[in-house]
Amino acid sequence: MKRLIRLALAGLLLGGVIDAMPGTAATAGMGPYDGHLPFHCKIQHLGTGTKFPHPKADPLCVDYDKTHQNVDHLGIIDFLSHEPARFAAVRGKCFYYQRDHWRSAVLQDDESTEIYNWDGAYWYDLATGAGGVFVKHFTINNRSADFGAFPAMPAKYKRYFGYGRGGWQATTAVPVDPACTGKKS
């Protein structure tokens, strides 16, 4: 079970947070975040794929379906095969917002084999250095879990999470990109 929890945490960090947050986090101006869309943009619904209707949009605002990370249909392999294209699409964007829906199970159609499940929202603004992370419906093995309780969670973020949900944002969450300075979202 500990190994499954570590895998779930790694999935969140590698597939969601790092996907959306291209720098190391700082704490200045930190506060709670509720997952709202911070930019004026049209969300591109990509399902399980990576065919962006408007790949040059900046802000780039996307919604992914990552709910088929199963073992029985090798969905986890399909999911992982799309991640490089998702990372590449973010490169060079000054403003990014991602909403996604995660579910991993041994057997896709058997909820009793769930490994992890959550809905997330992540954003950054490289013009100002602001960004945030939000999760809700967070479960491990069909049980509500406290994301802030994971041993790998830095202490400065723990207070923003509770059972099943939570989020934080900071005015200095990511490094400012000089190429983005002065641009508006």
Side-chain angles (χ1 to χ4, degrees):
M1 185 61 179
K2 286 183 181 180
R3 186 173 185 173
L4 292 177
I5 291 172
R6 286 187 194 131
L7 286 172
L9 178 60
L12 174 63
L13 294 175
L14 293 175
V17 176
I18 292 173
D19 196 354
M21 306 288 284
T24 58
T27 59
M30 187 180 298
Y33 171 56
D34 63 4
H36 71 276
L37 177 61
F39 307 118
H40 295 289
C41 60
K42 182 175 179 162
I43 295 195
Q44 299 181 48
H45 296 274
L46 298 160
T48 60
T50 57
K51 292 186 180 184
F52 297 84
H54 307 285
K56 294 183 180 184
D58 194 3
L60 178 63
C61 299
V62 298
D63 183 285
Y64 293 114
D65 177 355
K66 298 179 177 183
T67 61
H68 296 86
Q69 298 177 43
N70 56 65
V71 176
D72 62 335
H73 299 296
L74 302 180
I76 191 70
I77 294 170
D78 183 58
F79 160 73
L80 292 171
S81 74
H82 291 292
E83 286 299 281
R86 292 177 181 139
F87 279 86
V90 174
R91 196 171 302 126
K93 304 297 181 193
C94 292
F95 311 99
Y96 182 71
Y97 174 82
Q98 176 179 318
R99 186 171 55 206
D100 54 25
H101 318 279
W102 291 72
R103 181 173 182 274
S104 180
V106 175
L107 305 173
Q108 181 65 30
D109 298 324
D110 184 350
E111 287 188 26
S112 72
T113 68
E114 175 192 283
I115 299 168
Y116 52 79
N117 187 2
W118 73 85
D119 296 307
Y122 327 95
W123 69 277
Y124 67 76
D125 176 337
L126 295 181
T128 66
V133 175
F134 175 75
V135 296
K136 65 180 181 179
H137 308 130
F138 186 68
T139 61
I140 301 287
N141 196 26
N142 283 310
R143 292 191 181 123
S144 182
D146 180 355
F147 184 68
F150 282 107
M153 175 66 73
K156 60 189 169 193
Y157 305 123
K158 289 180 185 249
R159 67 181 176 176
Y160 297 106
F161 296 91
Y163 277 90
R165 67 182 300 120
W168 66 268
Q169 61 185 353
T171 56
T172 57
V174 294
V176 171
D177 183 340
C180 298
T181 305
K183 290 185 177 182
K184 302 285 183 197
S185 62

